[in-house]
């Protein structure tokens, strides 16, 4: 674990809080200090959304921020949970008698709903109760708490908040709110350790990941997840079928509902906030993928398709869906309904298999809502640009506005190594039309496992897509950071340009490659033009002349008149006084 | 000059030719050899558009590919040109008595139109004459030559082809054809040498730049351009006002029409194929920029605005526009009508200044067409995603379909260091609706001058945007490369995945970071899942079962029926036979 994970992105950044004194709620934000303008005017510090939390020593974990709120509702009971079996950490743990790095930090006693109680945020929203989680989110999103409650009640937004993950800071996923991004981490059979995954978690939230999915498929799955949940200020998502598959030696045909249910309960007790469930991969849909260019590319989707074919039975996640709802309702775990039949190539986009599954995901969404269980729906994948919009519009209509959570989509298949870019293009388009959360794609997509640099590149690229969509949606205040940075640029406040950017260190490093000298950071020219001539400098002269709005209008009117004369006579236009431009000094 | 510039992108790539034997025309393409499928079927090699030309030793230059075609038209005459003045290379050359690296290769005697003749491709297209340039382009674009001629005649497309740049391979810019990309190179007062710029030229065309603009503003401008033009298989564009400004010691107010005209003729004789002319920056528009967040950010725009204000006169590029048309018509130089008032921040997008200038660019487009001079129109810049489409639709309507050539646009201002990405998002959107050429943006935009890595990143990123737009437009055959790569991916033909990608070496390097062993390149699993489990492997099993279309339909029908029973009875669906899936070996 490198300490850089816990440092601010930039020296001009600091931790500040939005306060709701009445309810004793404090929302952490990042405050960016700004230099004064050249004319001496001060520039108000900018406060931006912060996902990195208070920071933690990984072996200790984070404080249980929400514990008091959960206790106050008096709707939960502590119980002796399922605990952990060595097999939960795979065969190597069985051999060893231990995981490779056991969790030694405090582990909360598992909570579940008291008999007959529902503990979900959706339940309270529907009952008209405003929870501290809702107030936290309203402050964080700078919106009315009633908007939060009503969107939750309608199922158009979710606050993933497992009662066994009290360390998390509430965040909301819904199209009425800021577009969110998820970062995937997790080990695989071929590489990486527990420490690396915790390091990636802290790194991803430092750069702006709103949720993190632990997609581990290798050894130490249970213990890796324990370290991640205890250290995570953001909701954690998983795909439980991966662990269940480990428990049956990777033999998809050996999976059973009982093994899966046991794995889900194990993860509910650990504090996983949302789980991807591939309950829409129905037996009758499987043959629809046979003629595809790339068949089934979702791991979970192909596991369940394999199981269905091996047993000639309907997907057990579908047949046992109501039992899953009952379990999730006891912990406030949210469904992320997996699109196991998503297209794996632009050639397969928007096909019969994909849309057949979406019909089933819509049916399941409404079944989950009957249990007050929060739901989001997963989306593709690989979609050519002109077919992207249909995906969000169809999902929103069929699923009554349940939040859409998409992977990209990638708008071309020809650029492995650059799929963070091919997918950010599709992600911006699909978020513009209402997708609530974007699952990042790193440069390693299709090629290998992301390292720390890839995680950062993926997160920054997706912050760009999400923010561009917020601007396109006209989200209130979304343009503040753009305008502050543009003003700094126009005023040659180089340090502020760096500190206002999504990746200050990279911006500064790129600048310094061309103009390393410290004075260049306050120089009144850009490295593109050099000191002798600069376009910004000339427009400063123009502004100095036509500065005030009234003056500008007067002159514009006068100029229009004069230029009419000019055009008539081909003569000269006379201005009130001479303006000297010359070469910038 | 590194020899890697002249190598193919990948060992599986080779130079091939599309032949028009009847007219003796050969169009170079890159042929990508493919491995057979696992079932033994051969995969036809894929031929893709190639911009890198035959390759040249920079000190010698390229062969005069088009010279015979130009001569055959018998519409030009050689003459003793203006030649070169030492001042053309700046004050350091005056001191030195020479440029820092004089061009020693062969220099063609300048040609111009015979008196009373027009030599432009637009002139011939309007006269119903099909030139070899048009045939070359038709073969290259795989379209009917009549489409090429008629689009040229209507002004909806251009083939930039200065008669003094016979080394260039004809290419077409227009919305009916493949979306093109431009790469900017060029030195500045603060850095870089002639050799570096030639190196960047060859590097940019190797990765797919369709045109290159030499934006040099430092020393040796004339000689740098000579090296670039003589070595360039793609059209070269410039912004002559930059050199003109050098000739008057960087004092915008000292510029005159005579100095500018002389500079334009100098560049026409050298072989520049298109020039950015900021003739739309009218005196009366300048005050409209005073209240902007970022004023005027175009260098050429601010030079002309500065000149207008200094002299209280209308822009001399506007008042002398017809003389420019007469000059361009003699050499077949195309206008790139500069958008000097483009927004420099999302806050300034689609404002009065920007659209006032566009009205004037539309007027100038039609004036140039009177002289049979080819024209494209430049566009922004910084535009929030939801306002991008209006730019292309407005330009197309006002300019009667003249090709639009945009810089990005960037859809947010908050990510310096990643503006290749912020702009590729806007570029895909604007190209989808008809923008014909995209000017690349590199990661160094706003921060510094691009190095060789930045040039490559910018070109690849813009190939992605252009290709994604071609797919979205349903351009015939645009999906072939995507489908070939997706098929290779599904069949675990790793080497073909690399060779079919836009950047094979990077794709392979990323793969090898996780699975370096050579056998992994033929392994039937992805590094994401590891050997024990793989989704593609399972869907292969599904395809093996439901392979043929007819079988698939039969089974799908049967399954639908069975699943109806299943849903009715909650019982089992019986398939013709048992399929064993199990864990992939």
């Amino acid at each position: 674990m490198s300490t850089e994970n816990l440092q601010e992105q930039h020296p001009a950044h600091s931790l500040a809080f939005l306060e709701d004194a009445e309810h004793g709620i404090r929302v952490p934000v990042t405050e960016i200090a700004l230099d004064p303008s050249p004319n001496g005017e001060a520039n108000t510090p900018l406060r931006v959304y912060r996902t990195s939390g208070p920071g933690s020593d990984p072996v200790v974990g984070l404080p249980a921020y929400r514990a008091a709120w959960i206790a106050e509702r008096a709707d939960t009971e502590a119980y002796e949970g399922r605990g952990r079996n060595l097999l939960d950490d795979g065969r190597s743990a069985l051999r060893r008698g231990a995981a490779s790095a056991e969790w030694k930090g405090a582990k909360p006693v598992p909570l579940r709903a008291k008999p007959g109680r529902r503990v979900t945020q959706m339940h309270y929203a529907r009952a008209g109760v405003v929870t501290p989680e809702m107030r936290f989110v309203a402050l964080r999103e700078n919106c009315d708490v009633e908007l939060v409650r009503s969107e939750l009640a309608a199922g158009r937004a979710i606050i993933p908040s497992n009662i066994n993950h009290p360390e998390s800071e509430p965040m909301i996923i819904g199209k009425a709110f800021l577009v969110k991004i998820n970062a995937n981490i997790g080990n695989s059979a071929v590489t990486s350790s527990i420490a690396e995954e915790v390091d990636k978690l802290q790194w991803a939230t430092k750069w702006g990941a709103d949720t993190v999915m632990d997609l581990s498929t290798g050894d130490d799955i249970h213990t890796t997840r324990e370290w991640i949940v205890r250290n995570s200020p953001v909701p954690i998502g998983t795909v439980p079928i991966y662990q269940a598959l480990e428990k049956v030696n990777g033999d998809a045909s050996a999976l059973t509902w009982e093994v899966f249910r046991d794995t889900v309960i194990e993860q509910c007790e650990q504090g996983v906030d949302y789980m991807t469930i591939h309950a829409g991969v129905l037996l009758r849909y499987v043959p629809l993928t046979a003629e595809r260019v790339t068949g089934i590319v979702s791991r979970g989707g192909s596991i369940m398709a394999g199981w269905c074919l091996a047993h000639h039975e309907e997907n057990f996640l579908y047949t046992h869906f109501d039992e899953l709802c009952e379990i999730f309702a006891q912990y406030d775990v949210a469904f992320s309904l997996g699109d196991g039949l998503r297209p794996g190539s632009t050639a397969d986009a928007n096909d019969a298999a994909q849309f057949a599954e979406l019909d089933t995901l819509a049916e399941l969404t409404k079944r989950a809502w009957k249990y007050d269980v929060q739901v989001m729906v997963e989306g593709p994948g690989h979609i050519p640009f002109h077919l992207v919009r249909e995906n969000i519009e169809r999902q929103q209509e069929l699923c009554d506005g349940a939040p859409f959570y998409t992977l990209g989509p990638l708008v071309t298949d020809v650029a492995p190594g650059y799929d963070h870019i091919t997918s950010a293009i599709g992600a911006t388009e699909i978020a513009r039309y209402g997708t609530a959360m974007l699952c990042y794609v790193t440069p390693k997509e299709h090629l290998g496992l992301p390292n720390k640099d890839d995680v950062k590149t993926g997160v920054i690229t997706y912050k760009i897509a999400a923010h561009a969509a917020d601007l396109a949606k006209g989200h209130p205040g979304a343009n503040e950071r753009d305008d502050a940075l543009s003003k700094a640029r126009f005023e040659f406040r180089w340090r502020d340009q760096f500190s206002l950017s999504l990746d200050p260190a990279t911006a500064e490093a790129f600048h310094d490659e061309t103009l390393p000298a410290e004075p260049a950071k306050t120089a009144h020219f850009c490295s593109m033009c050099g000191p002798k001539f600069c376009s910004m400098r000339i427009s400063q002269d123009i502004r100095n002349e036509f500065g005030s709005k009234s003056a500008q209008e007067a002159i514009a009117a006068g100029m229009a008149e004069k230029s009419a004369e000019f055009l008539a006579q081909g003569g000269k236009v006379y201005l009130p006084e001479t303006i000297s431009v010359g070469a910038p000094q």
Side-chain angles (χ1 to χ4, degrees), chain A:
Chain A
M1 215 294 298
S2 59
T3 56
E4 71 177 322
N5 289 7
L6 305 181
Q7 295 159 359
E8 298 292 334
Q9 290 179 11
H10 190 271
H13 292 198
S14 61
L15 174 61
F17 293 91
L18 305 174
E19 305 270 355
D20 175 351
E22 182 189 349
H23 304 93
I25 291 173
R26 302 170 82 214
V27 176
V29 291
T30 298
E31 184 163 279
I32 305 175
L34 301 173
D35 292 337
S37 294
N39 63 10
E41 273 173 26
N43 288 291
T44 327
L46 190 76
R47 294 182 152 195
V48 299
Y49 197 102
R50 179 184 180 96
T51 54
S52 53
S56 62
D57 173 347
V59 303
V60 176
L62 286 162
Y65 184 81
R66 295 194 299 126
W69 302 348
I70 294 163
E72 275 163 19
R73 287 193 280 264
D75 56 359
T76 59
E77 61 184 14
Y79 70 110
E80 190 182 334
R82 170 198 176 278
R84 185 195 101 185
N85 307 329
L86 262 179
L87 181 57
D88 301 343
D89 279 317
R91 279 143 283 166
S92 68
L94 280 180
R95 278 195 309 275
R96 238 189 262 115
S100 59
E102 294 286 353
W103 171 252
K104 303 259 181 347
K107 181 163 178 1
V109 180
L111 300 177
R112 67 181 170 207
K114 286 179 179 168
R117 301 296 297 274
R118 281 180 184 170
V119 301
T120 69
Q121 294 293 317
M122 185 180 211
H123 163 73
Y124 284 105
R126 284 174 159 182
V129 177
V130 172
T131 63
E133 285 86 349
M134 298 177 203
R135 293 194 194 283
F136 187 99
V137 158
L139 204 55
R140 199 172 194 183
E141 297 269 341
N142 188 30
C143 70
D144 189 318
V145 71
E146 176 53 22
L147 176 68
V148 173
R149 191 206 59 77
S150 58
E151 289 294 292
L152 285 173
R156 289 189 297 266
I158 67 173
I159 300 179
S161 41
N162 185 327
I163 54 174
N164 291 315
H165 185 201
E167 300 90 344
S168 69
E169 294 169 350
M171 55 80 70
I172 193 162
I173 301 167
K175 66 168 177 283
F177 307 97
L178 289 163
V179 175
K180 305 305 189 298
I181 68 169
N182 171 71
N184 291 334
I185 62 174
N187 67 16
S188 94
V190 290
T191 176
S192 89
S193 75
I194 290 177
E196 282 175 68
E197 297 312 315
V198 175
D199 194 39
K200 283 184 196 166
L201 162 76
Q202 295 186 315
W203 189 238
T205 55
K206 172 177 180 163
W207 294 107
D210 294 288
T211 77
V212 168
M213 290 192 81
D214 172 12
L215 302 186
S216 294
T217 59
D219 286 332
D220 301 323
I221 291 185
H222 178 99
T223 304
T224 301
R225 192 168 51 235
E226 192 67 38
W227 282 73
I228 288 172
V229 172
R230 301 283 76 84
N231 281 285
S232 179
V234 302
I236 295 298
T238 61
V239 184
I241 199 78
Y242 296 170
Q243 184 178 14
L245 189 70
E246 288 300 304
K247 294 179 179 177
V248 294
N249 296 313
D251 177 356
S253 63
L255 283 165
T256 65
W257 159 247
E258 291 68 24
V259 169
F260 185 82
R261 179 187 55 199
D262 178 66
T263 304
V264 164
I265 290 170
E266 170 192 349
Q267 298 194 12
C268 288
E269 293 180 350
Q270 264 187 308
V272 171
D273 299 284
Y274 65 88
M275 300 184 196
T276 296
I277 303 294
H278 296 94
V281 180
L282 300 191
L283 181 57
R284 65 182 182 276
Y285 300 157
V286 175
L288 300 178
T289 66
E291 287 294 305
R292 282 178 158 187
V293 171
T294 48
I296 300 177
V297 295
S298 151
R299 271 185 265 174
S302 54
I303 293 167
M304 294 318 301
W307 187 91
C308 291
L309 295 177
H311 296 275
H312 322 147
E313 283 181 26
E314 191 51 278
N315 182 334
F316 61 75
L317 299 173
Y318 180 83
T319 56
H320 291 273
F321 191 75
D322 292 284
E323 289 159 76
L324 276 175
C325 293
E326 284 163 358
I327 296 166
F328 282 17
Q330 289 185 60
Y331 301 90
D332 199 4
V333 170
F335 278 105
S336 187
L337 295 174
D339 57 332
L341 302 182
R342 68 172 176 267
S345 57
T346 51
D348 295 339
N350 296 17
D351 73 351
Q354 182 193 335
F355 285 149
E357 181 183 36
L358 181 56
D359 292 338
T360 299
L361 298 185
E363 172 208 329
L364 296 171
T365 297
K366 292 153 201 177
R367 275 166 68 183
W369 284 348
K370 292 208 181 93
Y371 296 82
D372 295 335
V373 172
Q374 307 190 90
V375 182
M376 59 184 169
V377 176
E378 295 185 9
H382 293 241
I383 307 281
F385 197 63
H386 64 300
L387 298 182
V388 169
R389 184 176 181 173
E390 180 183 2
N391 281 269
I392 170 66
E393 290 180 340
R394 193 177 181 119
Q395 181 274 340
Q396 285 293 291
E397 185 187 349
L398 292 171
C399 303
D400 294 354
F404 204 29
Y405 169 31
T406 62
L407 178 69
L410 289 69
V411 294
T412 172
D413 309 319
V414 300
Y418 298 80
D419 281 332
H420 58 304
I421 298 175
T422 64
S423 65
I425 293 167
T428 305
E429 171 81 350
I430 206 161
R432 170 188 178 187
Y433 294 112
T435 294
M437 185 157 77
L438 303 169
C439 183
Y440 85 170
V441 171
T442 77
K444 291 282 171 61
E445 185 73 14
H446 300 118
L447 298 169
L449 289 169
N451 60 27
K452 208 169 156 180
D453 286 345
D454 298 318
V455 167
K456 178 180 172 183
T457 300
V459 169
I460 299 279
T461 302
Y462 271 69
K463 293 299 283 184
I464 288 168
H467 181 68
D470 288 332
L471 289 175
K473 289 162 73 178
H475 194 87
N479 60 322
E480 281 174 15
R481 191 171 188 166
D482 296 80
D483 297 351
L485 194 147
S486 297
K487 183 166 183 268
R489 180 172 283 152
F490 187 67
E491 293 175 353
F492 296 101
R493 287 185 278 119
W494 285 99
R495 284 197 198 79
D496 290 348
Q497 286 185 63
F498 305 147
S499 61
L500 286 163
S501 66
L502 293 183
D503 182 0
T506 297
E508 183 159 1
F510 283 1
H511 171 273
D512 290 359
E513 274 183 43
T514 308
L515 288 174
E518 184 56 25
K521 302 215 179 54
T522 52
H524 272 211
F525 59 88
C526 318
S527 49
M528 288 75 76
C529 303
K532 192 181 48 174
F533 168 74
C534 173
S535 62
M536 291 267 190
R537 171 73 170 68
I538 288 181
S539 28
Q540 284 280 18
D541 295 336
I542 294 166
R543 171 173 291 193
N544 297 345
E545 185 59 28
F546 304 109
S548 85
K549 190 87 187 161
S550 54
Q552 182 237 321
E553 280 159 357
I555 293 156
M559 279 222 171
E561 185 190 315
K562 291 294 180 190
S563 74
E565 288 174 32
F566 168 82
L567 292 171
Q569 317 153 8
K572 289 194 173 197
V573 176
Y574 297 95
L575 285 189
E577 63 182 60
T578 301
I579 307 145
S580 164
V581 176
Q585 306 317 309

